[in-house]
Amino acid sequence: MKALVYHGPNTKSLDEVAKPAIIDPGDALVRITHTTICGTDLHILKGDVPSCTPGRILGHEGVGVIEYTGSAVTSFKVGDHVLISCITSCGRCENCRRSMYSHCISGGWMLGNTIDGTQAEYVRIPHADTSLYPVPAGTDEEALVMLSDILPTGFECGVLNGKIAPGGTVAIVGAGPIGLACLLTAQFYSPAAIFMIDIDDKRLATARRFGATHLVNGGAVDAATAIAALTNGRGVDTAVEAVGIPATFELCQNLVAAGGVIANIGVHGVKADLHLERLWSHNVTITTRLVDTASTSMLLKTVAAKTLDPAPLITHRFALCDAMDAYDVFARAADTGALKVIITP
Amino acid sequence: MKALVYHGPNTKSLDEVAKPAIIDPGDALVRITHTTICGTDLHILKGDVPSCTPGRILGHEGVGVIEYTGSAVTSFKVGDHVLISCITSCGRCENCRRSMYSHCISGGWMLGNTIDGTQAEYVRIPHADTSLYPVPAGTDEEALVMLSDILPTGFECGVLNGKIAPGGTVAIVGAGPIGLACLLTAQFYSPAAIFMIDIDDKRLATARRFGATHLVNGGAVDAATAIAALTNGRGVDTAVEAVGIPATFELCQNLVAAGGVIANIGVHGVKADLHLERLWSHNVTITTRLVDTASTSMLLKTVAAKTLDPAPLITHRFALCDAMDAYDVFARAADTGALKVIITP
Amino acid sequence: MKALVYHGPNTKSLDEVAKPAIIDPGDALVRITHTTICGTDLHILKGDVPSCTPGRILGHEGVGVIEYTGSAVTSFKVGDHVLISCITSCGRCENCRRSMYSHCISGGWMLGNTIDGTQAEYVRIPHADTSLYPVPAGTDEEALVMLSDILPTGFECGVLNGKIAPGGTVAIVGAGPIGLACLLTAQFYSPAAIFMIDIDDKRLATARRFGATHLVNGGAVDAATAIAALTNGRGVDTAVEAVGIPATFELCQNLVAAGGVIANIGVHGVKADLHLERLWSHNVTITTRLVDTASTSMLLKTVAAKTLDPAPLITHRFALCDAMDAYDVFARAADTGALKVIITP
Amino acid sequence: MKALVYHGPNTKSLDEVAKPAIIDPGDALVRITHTTICGTDLHILKGDVPSCTPGRILGHEGVGVIEYTGSAVTSFKVGDHVLISCITSCGRCENCRRSMYSHCISGGWMLGNTIDGTQAEYVRIPHADTSLYPVPAGTDEEALVMLSDILPTGFECGVLNGKIAPGGTVAIVGAGPIGLACLLTAQFYSPAAIFMIDIDDKRLATARRFGATHLVNGGAVDAATAIAALTNGRGVDTAVEAVGIPATFELCQNLVAAGGVIANIGVHGVKADLHLERLWSHNVTITTRLVDTASTSMLLKTVAAKTLDPAPLITHRFALCDAMDAYDVFARAADTGALKVIITP
């Protein structure tokens, strides 16, 4: 089969590789119908993710059809349409039993990282019963690819951890796909204001369409000053970090009101300064989280109920044979306007 | 001044009475600009509320302007526009300190009950600092009258107690003003479905305009069967009782899913059957609550942010001199289509 | 093998039956080392539990050793010492994913009810990975039998649902094994007072030894009056119903303070009166729950840490061949002083 | 009257000053019967707290008797014995209404900071109704001084924010008075293990007496390695920072398990490193808080119920005329073994 394979820093290619096989009784083999590329895949290609070694098929998002099931799989049968979670969960270990699937002892983020991923014609899914979700009949399956990772990530790490609530104020720092996923799902809770902060006016314009109430271009104005003005000097109830660098995390510390939350979503490569000399008495909460995808069932319901429409996150579409082009378009997002690119085997 | 006075069961009149005066240093005198009638006022007129004795000025809702403040009032000054909470709260007792203002030791539901109320030109407000709210500049003050009682009641007793959540299913039994207030504020949390149950098709049609996703006329079909069909036999996550009779409370017990909540808003005059022989193992929660108006500040923010529009709850308007007509129209709601009637002194 | 078999109302016998075999790949076969009798077993024998049909081996509690595992079992191997949960959980269905194992779509209370149970030499455990718990090395295995059912039941249905908290007041109505299990685990949260109410002075004396701060014999005094006197007329923050009849549920309604919780544990055979005419404005929460055993891991840690000692719940010990005597002693608890009886195959 | 007055960095004296008078109608004048010294007072004396200016009477803890009340005070009368909260709360502003008294708009930490404090014969208490607590009859009033600040601080900032729970594991870094206050109140929730970390074996020995299950001398062994060994490499559910320097905050980051909480109590003078390059995916929560004293009523109940005994925190006693000696003994705690010193006017 064809697959997009990582060959070490800055090296990838679309290769012909062996179709995967069932290894464990709990495995399922899924024929991919739609997959996509994540910012994390770009991190891997920079060599930033040592757990992902050369030879690995990339990708941890996708929708497909069950091709084969191991003997222990009870929830799915051949032909079922399924959503693939980016997080593999055994459903048995202590972390899974407390819904912290991201730290499953025999799971977690494996796909396209420590085992072969979804940017291929087929993928093997361990712990299939608890790592796949049935696609409701009549759903736009392409749009569901957004539920493999970015929508639960924006929702769990940003919205839930950030305790976004009716009448509250929210600042989201970073209007990339993950910040926009947070923006979309923040509206589940009807905050009074959602301030979107980015340095790219095109992305800010997208944020406006996606429901942001106020836009702040942090390259043009001082974002902390702007937010202070917009909140009568109080700051925001929730500041979401959706970039992953020290400067934006520091900005969040300047935005958050006493009693508020800084919810980190960004993937950080270096440490950041924490201004405890000011924050120690500020009654703030700071949260970090690798998405657990514990909200996937709920998000599927919101899509079915049309209270969430993931489709606008998709900007480009490619056949798997053009996956190298897809990577190029996605990596040059500032020029191409790419948010999420769908790849179809 | 003119005031609507209760003179015993089935007797009321618009009387000329003395203007109230400050009694305690924490009091404020408010000139009423808009008030309204509550279903509870009709209960009083039936003689159902013994704490309300003849001679009492009715009314516990309203917006007005501060005319005078006692020496201990620090949060308001003469001329301030204020929203009157139906619940009087001292802010000092143990119940107030835990935000259960409804059970304030020297407050609670006093207005138009144990002290004179708001259906008058002026009203004395005890514990003014913690029982009035400043009206934000530029707000539609008439619409704010809906925040004195019914919107916090629908929200606190129905939505918050009912743990309404994104992707969840909600049944609201009773599409009167309080059920509709619950319906409006339920949408803060983006449930997947809101089933509105009533026996009046006109009220159901109103519920549709207010955001109900499904309508069930409980006079025409068996509501429990209908909801079972709509939820794949599962039942709803939240059943809100907004009528106040044993039959509707019993219906809620037939609607709620395992793990769900029955949130009672209705004012009940008699006991109801609780089917513990079935529910004991059903993992349900049943809540009751006299509104605390602890959410009033938050609701004011949602109105300012235009995520909540109370105005459509208002169907009729009267001058205070026509208050007897206002009562008539409100009492004959089935005929007149009245929801909330505004009375303007 | 030997097993205690239900043969219809009021009929049971110790029979020689076939040793169970693995049916599903997720099953484990457990050799029982210790089991016990539950009040629910007596209900079955009265014919009150129609789901349990003649021919069924009774018992849903026990500790044992893994004798054999199905091909899909990954968490246990032959020879492992295990605690058997009274609730069977697949770990995969939507209810299990939200930790409501009691309503597992292919599990729930099955043992000694819809499949053969633990009062036998061997038992087949479906969904073994998520329905058994490893026994920590060095633990008193006999005492752990209390963690199959009554301790998680008392804790989840009474303590957690009852929101027992430091400084709070608690009334537990019923000082049988389940009420005592609630009493033991209530102390995890350091309430200021635990009032134990029963009509048997011997059980009340046991409650004193188990940590009750005040005893009320409801046969000798009016319990509601007594509790009012003990709480300055306020009532209790948490009232736990641990009997299962209308009178005790009604008593709880007279004990609970405004803002408090009535946590039902009792198994009810008939409906009860709910005094909504008083409680509608009382800000109370009423909860019901079939134990989920979601707290079992946590309880095992408290036993290991010696913050919980289940051993005093055990009053009698029998060999399996004397199981008929064990039932007799347990059924005549008022005379024998029996709390929990251990049966050893 | 006599009072301990701050005269600028490193300068204080016991002076004869004017007795305070009522300024606002909500004030009360309290005759101090017992007061104490806090580590924060030493910070002020180092010149670290610019809001505290020369001429200020120090002290924010104490118990006393109402000498006089302003005209708006309704909850207290002359002669009442009262506990003084270190936090002044108006009970009216938005922050007070959400129980975040520490950020009261006209209150917060004022005593011995921005207004004269309690190390004197008399003190003026603004917002007396909501900043004083009645002393229950029969209480050891000296011991209650521990409830002015350190016990609510340890409980709210450490125990509540740290989500300490039955069966959990806790590490407290710093065995000074505030760490010990956290240790005492952590036991309300029956954690399985409380690891106390300090570099002073005497303080660790005290921690043992106060209920620590394990002691780690961070000067003698590597604390992170020791805790890893004690938790099977997992880390702790709750790490409490009770020192206030970057090194101990960094240590907490090395102690906390995935899914755990770092609860900061320490007063920090400089920023700290936050290792987001590791923690971003570790599902941790970090909290900061200036004590709100929202738990004071509850703590008074635990003292009355004898589930909390504050007395052992008191090591020395002085008359007010010897307050300079009291400071000396308290400042040289490593030599003197001082925890809290009581000063009696």
Side-chain angles (χ1 to χ4, degrees):
Chain A
M1 68 172 187
K2 284 197 173 54
L4 196 290
V5 182
Y6 168 68
H7 292 293
N10 302 310
T11 318
K12 64 180 183 298
S13 54
L14 188 70
D15 296 355
E16 189 68 30
V17 300
K19 187 174 161 181
I22 296 289
I23 297 175
D24 289 313
D27 292 350
L29 192 69
V30 176
R31 176 171 59 80
I32 296 291
T33 58
H34 305 85
T35 183
T36 184
I37 307 171
C38 180
T40 311
D41 296 321
L42 303 185
H43 277 290
I44 293 173
L45 284 165
K46 285 184 191 147
D48 287 349
V49 184
S51 54
C52 183
T53 50
R56 178 68 62 234
I57 299 174
L58 295 179
H60 51 265
E61 302 166 273
V63 163
V65 180
I66 298 277
E67 181 89 1
Y68 195 78
T69 59
S71 60
V73 174
T74 60
S75 307
F76 300 99
K77 61 180 193 305
V78 173
D80 284 354
H81 288 232
V82 291
L83 167 65
I84 299 167
S85 173
C86 66
I87 296 295
T88 300
S89 159
C90 75
R92 306 169 179 194
C93 70
E94 195 165 343
N95 286 335
C96 282
R97 294 294 258 190
R98 61 192 278 212
S99 299
M100 193 166 68
Y101 309 146
S102 60
H103 289 73
C104 171
I105 287 168
S106 62
W109 175 36
M110 303 175 77
L111 291 173
N113 177 16
T114 59
I115 65 172
D116 285 334
T118 58
Q119 293 166 6
E121 293 180 66
Y122 296 90
V123 65
R124 179 182 72 91
I125 302 293
H127 300 310
D129 277 321
T130 39
S131 307
L132 297 173
Y133 292 85
V135 170
T139 319
D140 171 3
E141 299 197 3
E142 182 191 77
L144 282 198
V145 177
M146 305 299 106
L147 269 70
S148 286
D149 181 343
I150 66 165
L151 282 166
T153 296
F155 181 64
E156 296 177 8
C157 307
V159 177
L160 289 184
N161 274 12
K163 295 194 175 71
I164 292 176
T169 52
V170 181
I172 301 174
V173 182
I178 209 72
L180 293 170
C182 179
L183 169 60
L184 283 175
T185 53
Q187 296 168 68
F188 288 157
Y189 291 98
S190 309
I194 309 179
F195 308 112
M196 206 77 190
I197 302 172
D198 203 298
I199 53 174
D200 178 338
D201 279 329
K202 279 187 292 188
R203 290 200 150 180
L204 288 173
T206 303
R208 173 77 79 189
R209 289 198 309 276
F210 278 46
T213 59
H214 302 74
L215 308 178
V216 176
N217 186 320
V221 300
D222 180 70
T225 305
I227 296 297
L230 286 163
T231 59
N232 296 319
R234 205 181 143 270
V236 294
D237 298 314
T238 306
V240 177
E241 206 287 341
V243 178
I245 59 174
T248 46
F249 185 74
E250 182 140 358
L251 174 59
C252 288
Q253 299 175 55
N254 292 327
L255 301 180
V256 70
V261 183
I262 298 173
N264 186 77
I265 313 180
V267 177
H268 291 258
V270 296
K271 69 183 181 185
D273 286 341
L274 182 64
H275 289 284
L276 285 174
E277 77 279 14
R278 185 172 63 84
L279 296 179
W280 76 269
S281 63
H282 207 54
N283 295 39
V284 297
T285 299
I286 300 165
T287 62
T288 72
R289 188 171 183 178
L290 178 60
V291 64
D292 292 301
T293 66
S295 65
T296 304
S297 286
M298 186 282 272
L299 291 169
L300 281 163
K301 291 176 188 173
T302 66
V303 171
K306 303 197 188 306
T307 50
L308 175 65
D309 179 11
L313 286 163
I314 300 170
T315 54
H316 296 75
R317 288 168 182 82
F318 296 89
L320 179 58
C321 58
D322 299 322
M324 299 293 279
D325 294 340
Y327 264 88
D328 178 65
V329 164
F330 181 69
R332 295 188 300 104
D335 295 335
T336 62
L339 294 173
K340 292 293 281 186
V341 302
I342 288 288
I343 298 174
T344 310
Chain B
M1 69 171 187
K2 285 198 173 54
L4 197 291
V5 180
Y6 169 68
H7 292 291
N10 302 310
T11 319
K12 64 179 183 298
S13 54
L14 187 70
D15 297 354
E16 189 67 32
V17 300
K19 187 174 162 182
I22 297 289
I23 298 175
D24 288 313
D27 291 351
L29 191 70
V30 176
R31 177 170 57 82
I32 296 291
T33 56
H34 305 84
T35 182
T36 185
I37 307 171
C38 180
T40 312
D41 296 321
L42 303 185
H43 277 289
I44 292 172
L45 284 165
K46 285 183 193 149
D48 287 351
V49 183
S51 54
C52 183
T53 51
R56 178 69 61 235
I57 300 173
L58 296 179
H60 50 267
E61 303 167 272
V63 164
V65 179
I66 299 275
E67 180 89 0
Y68 195 78
T69 57
S71 60
V73 175
T74 59
S75 306
F76 299 100
K77 62 180 191 308
V78 173
D80 284 355
H81 288 232
V82 291
L83 168 66
I84 299 167
S85 174
C86 66
I87 295 294
T88 299
S89 159
C90 75
R92 305 168 181 194
C93 70
E94 196 163 344
N95 286 335
C96 282
R97 294 295 260 189
R98 61 192 279 212
S99 299
M100 193 165 68
Y101 309 146
S102 60
H103 289 72
C104 171
I105 287 168
S106 62
W109 174 37
M110 302 175 77
L111 290 173
N113 177 16
T114 59
I115 63 173
D116 284 334
T118 58
Q119 293 168 7
E121 294 180 65
Y122 296 90
V123 65
R124 180 182 70 91
I125 302 293
H127 299 312
D129 278 323
T130 39
S131 305
L132 297 173
Y133 292 84
V135 170
T139 318
D140 171 1
E141 299 196 5
E142 182 191 78
L144 283 199
V145 177
M146 306 298 106
L147 269 70
S148 286
D149 181 343
I150 67 165
L151 282 166
T153 296
F155 181 64
E156 296 176 9
C157 307
V159 178
L160 290 184
N161 274 13
K163 295 195 174 72
I164 292 177
T169 52
V170 181
I172 300 174
V173 182
I178 209 73
L180 294 170
C182 180
L183 169 60
L184 283 175
T185 53
Q187 296 169 66
F188 288 156
Y189 292 97
S190 307
I194 307 179
F195 309 113
M196 205 79 190
I197 303 172
D198 202 299
I199 54 175
D200 178 339
D201 278 330
K202 280 187 292 188
R203 291 201 150 179
L204 288 172
T206 303
R208 173 78 79 193
R209 289 198 309 277
F210 279 44
T213 60
H214 302 74
L215 309 178
V216 176
N217 187 320
V221 301
D222 181 70
T225 306
I227 296 296
L230 286 163
T231 57
N232 296 318
R234 204 183 145 270
V236 294
D237 299 314
T238 306
V240 176
E241 206 286 341
V243 177
I245 59 173
T248 46
F249 185 75
E250 182 138 358
L251 174 58
C252 288
Q253 299 176 55
N254 292 326
L255 300 181
V256 69
V261 183
I262 298 174
N264 186 77
I265 312 181
V267 177
H268 291 257
V270 296
K271 69 184 182 184
D273 285 341
L274 182 63
H275 289 284
L276 284 174
E277 77 280 13
R278 187 173 61 84
L279 295 180
W280 76 268
S281 63
H282 208 52
N283 295 39
V284 297
T285 300
I286 300 165
T287 62
T288 72
R289 188 172 185 178
L290 177 61
V291 63
D292 293 300
T293 65
S295 65
T296 305
S297 285
M298 187 281 273
L299 291 170
L300 281 164
K301 292 176 187 173
T302 65
V303 172
K306 302 194 189 308
T307 51
L308 174 65
D309 180 10
L313 286 163
I314 301 169
T315 54
H316 296 73
R317 288 169 183 82
F318 295 88
L320 179 57
C321 57
D322 299 321
M324 299 293 279
D325 294 340
Y327 264 86
D328 178 65
V329 164
F330 182 68
R332 295 188 299 106
D335 296 333
T336 62
L339 294 173
K340 290 295 277 186
V341 302
I342 288 287
I343 298 173
T344 310
Chain C
M1 66 172 189
K2 284 199 172 50
L4 197 291
V5 181
Y6 170 67
H7 291 294
N10 303 310
T11 320
K12 64 181 184 296
S13 54
L14 188 71
D15 296 354
E16 188 69 30
V17 301
K19 185 174 163 182
I22 296 289
I23 297 175
D24 289 312
D27 291 351
L29 193 68
V30 176
R31 177 169 59 79
I32 297 291
T33 56
H34 305 84
T35 183
T36 184
I37 307 172
C38 180
T40 312
D41 296 323
L42 302 185
H43 278 289
I44 292 172
L45 283 165
K46 286 184 191 148
D48 287 349
V49 184
S51 54
C52 183
T53 51
R56 178 70 62 234
I57 300 173
L58 295 179
H60 50 266
E61 302 166 273
V63 164
V65 180
I66 298 277
E67 180 91 359
Y68 195 78
T69 59
S71 60
V73 175
T74 60
S75 306
F76 300 99
K77 61 180 192 308
V78 174
D80 284 354
H81 288 232
V82 291
L83 167 66
I84 299 167
S85 173
C86 65
I87 296 294
T88 300
S89 159
C90 75
R92 305 168 181 194
C93 70
E94 196 164 342
N95 286 336
C96 282
R97 294 296 258 191
R98 60 191 280 212
S99 298
M100 193 166 68
Y101 309 147
S102 60
H103 289 73
C104 171
I105 286 167
S106 62
W109 175 37
M110 302 175 76
L111 290 173
N113 176 15
T114 60
I115 64 173
D116 283 335
T118 57
Q119 293 168 6
E121 293 180 64
Y122 296 90
V123 65
R124 178 183 71 92
I125 303 293
H127 300 310
D129 278 321
T130 39
S131 306
L132 296 174
Y133 293 84
V135 170
T139 319
D140 170 2
E141 299 197 4
E142 182 191 77
L144 283 198
V145 177
M146 304 299 106
L147 269 69
S148 285
D149 181 342
I150 65 163
L151 281 165
T153 295
F155 181 63
E156 297 177 8
C157 307
V159 178
L160 289 184
N161 275 12
K163 295 194 173 71
I164 292 176
T169 52
V170 181
I172 301 174
V173 182
I178 209 71
L180 293 170
C182 178
L183 169 60
L184 283 175
T185 53
Q187 296 169 68
F188 287 158
Y189 292 96
S190 308
I194 308 179
F195 309 112
M196 206 79 189
I197 302 172
D198 203 299
I199 54 174
D200 179 339
D201 278 330
K202 278 187 293 187
R203 290 201 151 180
L204 288 172
T206 304
R208 173 78 79 192
R209 288 198 309 277
F210 279 45
T213 59
H214 302 74
L215 309 178
V216 176
N217 187 321
V221 300
D222 180 70
T225 305
I227 296 296
L230 286 163
T231 58
N232 296 318
R234 203 181 146 270
V236 293
D237 299 314
T238 305
V240 177
E241 205 287 341
V243 177
I245 59 173
T248 47
F249 185 75
E250 182 139 357
L251 174 58
C252 288
Q253 299 175 54
N254 292 326
L255 300 181
V256 68
V261 183
I262 298 173
N264 186 78
I265 314 181
V267 176
H268 292 258
V270 296
K271 69 183 181 185
D273 286 340
L274 182 63
H275 289 284
L276 285 174
E277 78 280 13
R278 187 173 61 84
L279 295 180
W280 76 268
S281 64
H282 207 53
N283 296 38
V284 297
T285 299
I286 300 165
T287 62
T288 72
R289 188 171 183 178
L290 178 60
V291 64
D292 293 299
T293 65
S295 65
T296 306
S297 285
M298 186 281 273
L299 291 169
L300 281 164
K301 291 177 188 172
T302 64
V303 172
K306 302 195 189 309
T307 50
L308 175 65
D309 179 11
L313 286 162
I314 301 169
T315 54
H316 295 76
R317 288 169 183 81
F318 295 89
L320 179 58
C321 57
D322 298 322
M324 299 293 280
D325 295 340
Y327 264 87
D328 178 66
V329 164
F330 181 69
R332 295 189 300 106
D335 295 333
T336 63
L339 294 173
K340 292 293 280 186
V341 303
I342 287 288
I343 298 174
T344 310
Chain D
M1 68 172 189
K2 283 199 173 52
L4 196 291
V5 181
Y6 169 67
H7 292 293
N10 302 309
T11 319
K12 64 178 183 299
S13 54
L14 188 70
D15 296 355
E16 189 68 30
V17 300
K19 187 174 161 182
I22 297 288
I23 297 176
D24 289 314
D27 292 351
L29 192 69
V30 176
R31 177 169 58 81
I32 296 291
T33 55
H34 305 85
T35 182
T36 183
I37 307 171
C38 180
T40 312
D41 296 321
L42 303 185
H43 277 291
I44 292 173
L45 284 165
K46 283 183 192 149
D48 286 352
V49 183
S51 54
C52 184
T53 50
R56 178 72 59 237
I57 300 173
L58 295 180
H60 50 267
E61 301 166 273
V63 164
V65 181
I66 299 276
E67 180 89 0
Y68 194 79
T69 59
S71 59
V73 175
T74 60
S75 307
F76 299 99
K77 61 180 193 306
V78 173
D80 283 355
H81 287 232
V82 291
L83 168 66
I84 299 167
S85 174
C86 65
I87 296 294
T88 300
S89 159
C90 75
R92 306 169 179 193
C93 70
E94 195 164 344
N95 286 335
C96 282
R97 293 296 260 190
R98 62 192 279 214
S99 299
M100 192 166 69
Y101 310 146
S102 60
H103 289 72
C104 171
I105 286 168
S106 61
W109 175 37
M110 302 175 78
L111 290 173
N113 177 16
T114 60
I115 64 172
D116 284 334
T118 58
Q119 293 167 7
E121 292 179 65
Y122 296 90
V123 66
R124 180 183 70 92
I125 302 292
H127 299 312
D129 277 323
T130 39
S131 306
L132 296 174
Y133 292 84
V135 170
T139 319
D140 171 2
E141 299 197 5
E142 181 191 79
L144 282 198
V145 177
M146 305 298 106
L147 268 70
S148 284
D149 181 344
I150 67 165
L151 282 165
T153 296
F155 181 64
E156 296 177 8
C157 307
V159 177
L160 290 183
N161 274 11
K163 295 193 174 72
I164 292 176
T169 52
V170 180
I172 300 174
V173 181
I178 209 70
L180 293 170
C182 179
L183 169 60
L184 282 175
T185 53
Q187 295 168 67
F188 287 157
Y189 291 97
S190 309
I194 308 179
F195 309 113
M196 205 78 188
I197 303 172
D198 202 300
I199 54 175
D200 178 339
D201 277 330
K202 280 187 291 187
R203 291 200 149 179
L204 288 172
T206 304
R208 174 75 81 191
R209 289 197 310 276
F210 278 45
T213 60
H214 301 75
L215 309 179
V216 176
N217 186 321
V221 301
D222 179 71
T225 305
I227 296 297
L230 286 163
T231 58
N232 295 318
R234 202 182 146 270
V236 293
D237 298 315
T238 305
V240 177
E241 206 286 342
V243 177
I245 59 173
T248 47
F249 186 74
E250 182 138 359
L251 173 59
C252 287
Q253 298 176 54
N254 292 327
L255 300 181
V256 69
V261 183
I262 299 173
N264 186 77
I265 312 181
V267 177
H268 291 258
V270 296
K271 69 184 181 185
D273 286 341
L274 182 64
H275 289 285
L276 285 174
E277 78 279 14
R278 185 173 63 84
L279 296 180
W280 76 268
S281 62
H282 207 53
N283 295 39
V284 296
T285 299
I286 301 165
T287 62
T288 72
R289 189 171 183 179
L290 178 61
V291 64
D292 292 301
T293 65
S295 65
T296 305
S297 286
M298 186 282 273
L299 291 169
L300 280 164
K301 292 176 187 171
T302 64
V303 172
K306 303 196 188 308
T307 52
L308 174 64
D309 179 9
L313 285 162
I314 300 169
T315 53
H316 296 74
R317 287 168 184 82
F318 296 88
L320 178 58
C321 57
D322 298 323
M324 299 294 280
D325 293 341
Y327 264 87
D328 178 66
V329 164
F330 182 68
R332 294 188 299 106
D335 295 334
T336 62
L339 295 173
K340 292 293 280 187
V341 301
I342 288 287
I343 298 174
T344 309

